[in-house]
Amino acid sequence: MHFFEYKNGQLHCEGIPIYQIEEKVGTPFYLYSYNTLVRHFTVFNNAFEGIPHLVCYSAKANSNLALIRLFINLGGGVDVVSGGELYRAIKGGADPKKIVFSGVGKRGDEIEYALKAEILMFNVESSQELQAINEVAGRIGKKAPISIRVNPDIDAKTHPYISTGLKQNKFGIDILRAPLAYRMATQLPNLKVVGIDCHLGSQIIEAEPFMEGLRKLKSLVEDLRNEGMEIQYLDLGGGLGITYEDEEPPHPVEYASTILEEIKGFGCTLILEPGRVIVGNAGILVSRVLYTKENEEKRFVIVDAGMNDLVRPSYYGSYHHILPVNEEKREEIVADVVGPLCESSDFLAKGRRIPRLEPGELIAVMSAGAYGFSMSTNYNSRPRVAEVLVRDDQMFVIREREDYEDLVRGENIPDFLTRP
Ligand code: LLP
């Protein structure tokens, strides 16, 4: 469900025709629908009503301050994986007691920052990390709340780059070794065990892996309770998939109801870390067709957004619908939609059946709200694009387009290179 629709032959975001936004900000730009974001978060959050729960929006999916703030206003917490994301969460106004910190490689300074901010808990991914957190906490006189991220060895049947819950993945502590890690944690004086955590992967389109993960976690929690440990929080991570092309993931309400059934009365506050399912279909990338060309074998549509702006197609071979902003009927062609970067991997779509696009017209790359802007780079010295939020018939530039000055900020030419 989203509020990007054709009205009178023009693609709109909520109440505004997209071409009118382009007239103000130029191309390319990311465009988010406020009412879609609110709806997605609210539906997800309400689906867990009836049990104590906390939805920690996974900032990595889209870490714009305005979006973080929006979810905080709706009662959300934040899942962060770096000092930078923690900074954004705090700057966005998050209650530190609703922040969880995951990631296999937390540095000492990041641990210290999170301890001083007094976050809800660290999701710890190795025994050495337990020791590191204990050491930093001791040094600054804090007690660190921790949960252990367990690797349950479950195949989430998703792209290998975004599967995280298998033994072969770097994430978490093997479920068989987890009890040992918990015992170690209880022995370390500056740690307080508060929870258990797992995250199976991303763009998961079946409910079963989540259920399997939950069952394994519950059984471990029972063992830990028998050893006298108090596990207050059970964090099931994120990962619920969305429809990009023709996938049929469980609806959040369906996903929640199976989880609820399994966890009701278990005595833990459930934490969830959704990213994609909240923002994925609430955002698009708008770009302009620059040129078209063809040879005996292929047609190319060259647009002004590329792999630096949206890397998902080239990196994961992922699919994003491409729509002309002007709906006008025309013949269909099969073409590669490519960007301006100097790499053959720079494409937004390959061998795609699309309406014949003309130079100068605008296209919308759909379902780009998650891992779109947040994975964008300056490759080929391309300024990062603007981000716009639309609410009803109002638009807000929530991130200015970068300029050439931004590209060289912080770079210096040493004196010896400029001396004659
Ligand atoms: N929690 C943890 C610990 C995670 O690692 C992730 C995603 C999430 C939550 C949120 O998962 P989601 O609900 O968004 O599936 N760049 C890739 C996706 C990478 C996901 C990494 N971790 C993509 O564009 O498909």
Side-chain angles (χ1 to χ4, degrees), residues 58 60 79 162 199 202 239 273 275-276 312 316 371 375:
S58 191
K60 65 177 81 62
D79 156 46
I162 54 178
H199 171 77
S202 198
E273 303 172 352
R276 188 189 317 265
R312 302 193 71 257
Y316 309 107
Y371 308 106
M375 292 181 79

Side-chain angles (χ1 to χ4, degrees), residues 17 40 64 128 346 410 415:
H40 287 177
N64 187 289
Q128 289 183 9
D346 176 29
D415 280 350

Side-chain angles (χ1 to χ4, degrees), residues 1 36-37 39-41 43-44 55 57-58 61 71 202-204 238-244 249-253 255 273-282 370-371:
M1 208 292 306
T36 310
L37 292 163
R39 198 190 133 95
H40 287 177
F41 186 90
V43 166
F44 192 96
V55 176
Y57 166 65
S58 191
F71 301 128
S202 198
Q203 184 56 10
I204 299 172
L240 183 58
I242 61 169
T243 304
Y244 284 99
H251 186 276
V253 172
Y255 158 85
E273 303 172 352
R276 188 189 317 265
V277 69
I278 308 290
V279 294
N281 279 322
Y371 308 106

Side-chain angles (χ1 to χ4, degrees), residues 31 33 39 125 299 313 328:
L31 177 59
S33 152
R39 198 190 133 95
E125 307 217 16
R299 288 175 199 264
E328 195 186 325

Side-chain angles (χ1 to χ4, degrees), residues 271-290:
I271 297 181
L272 299 141
E273 303 172 352
R276 188 189 317 265
V277 69
I278 308 290
V279 294
N281 279 322
I284 66 173
L285 173 63
V286 180
S287 178
R288 183 182 293 287
V289 177
L290 297 173

Side-chain angles (χ1 to χ4, degrees), residues 152-200:
D153 196 27
I154 288 174
D155 185 1
K157 300 193 188 79
T158 182
H159 191 284
Y161 288 9
I162 54 178
S163 158
T164 51
L166 283 170
K167 267 203 183 113
Q168 69 212 47
N169 303 132
K170 67 178 175 179
F171 296 99
I173 295 181
D174 185 306
I175 192 150
L176 299 174
R177 292 168 196 234
L180 221 63
Y182 270 104
R183 277 173 221 138
M184 174 179 163
T186 55
Q187 298 304 312
L188 293 170
N190 310 311
L191 301 186
K192 180 174 174 6
V193 171
V194 296
I196 188 163
D197 167 52
C198 80
H199 171 77
L200 303 175

Side-chain angles (χ1 to χ4, degrees), residues 270-319:
L270 178 67
I271 297 181
L272 299 141
E273 303 172 352
R276 188 189 317 265
V277 69
I278 308 290
V279 294
N281 279 322
I284 66 173
L285 173 63
V286 180
S287 178
R288 183 182 293 287
V289 177
L290 297 173
Y291 309 106
T292 62
K293 65 177 179 183
E294 55 189 79
N295 59 31
E296 311 77 65
E297 281 183 27
K298 272 193 155 313
R299 288 175 199 264
F300 296 98
V301 176
I302 302 157
V303 302
D304 68 356
M307 66 188 291
N308 73 299
D309 304 305
L310 178 66
V311 77
R312 302 193 71 257
S314 17
Y315 197 48
Y316 309 107
S318 63
Y319 181 99

